[in-house]
Amino acid sequence: MPSRDTSDPPSGRDFRRRRKTIAARGDPSWETGRMTEHTPGSVNSMRTRVAPIFVALSGCDPTGASWLRTLLDLPERGGSFPGRDLPLGGALVEPTAFGEDERGLLPPRELLRWLVRNPDCWKTEPDAAEDSRRRALWEGDPATLGEALTRIDESPKPGRGTWWILEGRTWPDVYLETADLIVVIEGKRTEWPPTTSTTWMPVRHQLLRHIDAAFEANARGKRLAGFFLVEGEASAPDGVPDRWKKAVEECVSDAAIEGSLPHRTGSEREAIREAVLGAATWQALWSAVAPFPPTQ
């Protein structure tokens, strides 16, 4: 396909040219440009929502110039739309990361240190026979703690046998980055409720975890933003369902912020809370960027 001037918004023809790719990567129902009622085997949000939409968007305009502003304008939080005040910082500086190209973000080192120092806060009690080193941490062995802290200082990367790592990489469904902004998106379709804990932490909200990891990797001090893209209800597909509005409220509550971010300072916690833009629906996004409205 010949290159095009991506400073202009993609046309309906451009989106239609992508249909075969969309159908190949996602739900065949997208070949008609419509969202359909889910059927058994077609409810996976990555296959039926994330991949089809972002294949179309990045395929028509890999810079994001024609659609990033629209995307950030959609999330709602507590009746407001905080993304509308975010500066874009120009075009995307890296290809959109999603699907098979999801970007895994390493856990913050300080969280890993906090976890090995605070086994009384673990959600899971290690089995002495199957996980003896973590069991030693759980029992407060100082030599094992010292070794764990040294290993964390050397590298926070999880891997086989890394008993000192109590949180692995986090994988936002979509990762976007411009010169001034990093955006992480958690996509949901039928999945409910949202993930609010991990193997070792009783409170660790998934969206906060994404933003926290992006915060850690953000060496240049870019603005951060994160939000849910969820399935709208048949009666009002563009509106965020009440249960997801409540999930957003819970995500930014003091209990969620403190429980999910025990390693962060007060100002860091507030910055991460502010980065939560809320939630928007797949249907609202598709109707805003595509030349054909979605249907249920």
Side-chain angles (χ1 to χ4, degrees):
M1 181 176 172
S3 60
R4 61 184 301 276
D5 181 2
T6 53
S7 63
D8 295 325
S11 66
R13 178 180 298 176
D14 293 321
F15 276 98
R16 292 183 181 98
R17 284 173 177 169
R18 300 297 295 173
R19 284 182 182 172
K20 290 184 179 179
T21 302
I22 295 167
R25 289 283 298 273
D27 188 335
S29 67
W30 285 79
E31 192 170 4
T32 63
R34 298 176 181 274
M35 294 188 194
T36 61
E37 289 279 6
H38 68 262
T39 55
S42 67
V43 296
N44 179 278
S45 60
M46 179 58 67
R47 188 174 70 84
T48 64
R49 293 294 183 259
V50 179
I53 284 188
F54 284 95
V55 163
L57 293 178
S58 59
C60 291
D61 181 3
T63 73
S66 62
W67 52 265
L68 186 55
R69 176 77 275 159
T70 299
L71 175 67
L72 293 176
D73 285 350
L74 292 174
E76 176 185 355
R77 173 179 159 184
S80 64
F81 298 85
R84 296 179 180 179
D85 297 326
L86 282 177
L88 294 184
L92 297 173
V93 296
E94 295 186 11
T96 304
F98 65 93
E100 295 178 355
D101 299 317
E102 276 184 342
R103 178 164 177 171
L105 302 174
L106 288 170
R109 267 195 174 93
E110 198 54 45
L111 174 63
L112 299 178
R113 295 187 189 105
W114 186 90
L115 283 167
V116 298
R117 287 185 175 125
N118 293 274
D120 55 317
C121 296
W122 292 0
K123 176 184 172 184
T124 305
E125 179 180 341
D127 182 89
E130 297 182 1
D131 208 350
S132 61
R133 306 306 299 276
R134 286 174 176 164
R135 180 72 185 192
L137 279 174
W138 188 79
E139 292 177 348
D141 178 65
T144 305
L145 173 60
E147 182 182 353
L149 292 170
T150 298
R151 300 266 194 161
I152 291 168
D153 288 340
E154 291 172 352
S155 174
K157 294 182 179 180
R160 187 176 181 84
T162 52
W163 54 269
W164 57 92
I165 301 293
L166 297 175
E167 178 165 291
R169 296 176 190 265
T170 190
W171 300 86
D173 287 313
V174 181
Y175 178 95
L176 305 165
E177 185 172 351
T178 72
D180 298 326
L181 179 68
I182 295 173
V183 181
V184 290
I185 300 173
E186 180 59 29
K188 302 292 186 185
R189 185 172 182 186
T190 59
E191 304 94 330
W192 180 264
T195 302
T196 58
S197 65
T198 63
T199 300
W200 301 102
M201 294 183 67
V203 179
R204 181 71 163 156
H205 283 243
Q206 189 172 25
L207 185 58
L208 295 177
R209 181 182 173 186
H210 292 336
I211 299 172
D212 185 28
F215 189 104
E216 186 76 1
N218 184 20
R220 295 183 58 188
K222 299 181 181 185
R223 293 284 295 271
L224 299 175
F227 60 94
F228 293 104
L229 272 172
V230 305
E231 192 76 357
E233 296 175 343
S235 58
D238 286 1
V240 177
D242 288 343
R243 65 176 183 173
W244 279 106
K245 290 180 180 180
K246 184 174 181 181
V248 171
E249 291 176 7
E250 292 175 354
C251 181
V252 297
S253 68
D254 289 345
I257 294 292
E258 293 168 10
S260 298
L261 307 168
H263 56 298
R264 293 295 182 189
T265 65
S267 60
E268 289 171 339
R269 290 178 183 177
E270 288 309 307
I272 291 172
R273 191 202 310 258
E274 183 180 348
V276 177
L277 301 186
T281 69
W282 294 112
Q283 288 85 351
L285 173 58
W286 194 244
S287 62
V289 300
F292 24 70
T295 60
Q296 281 286 351

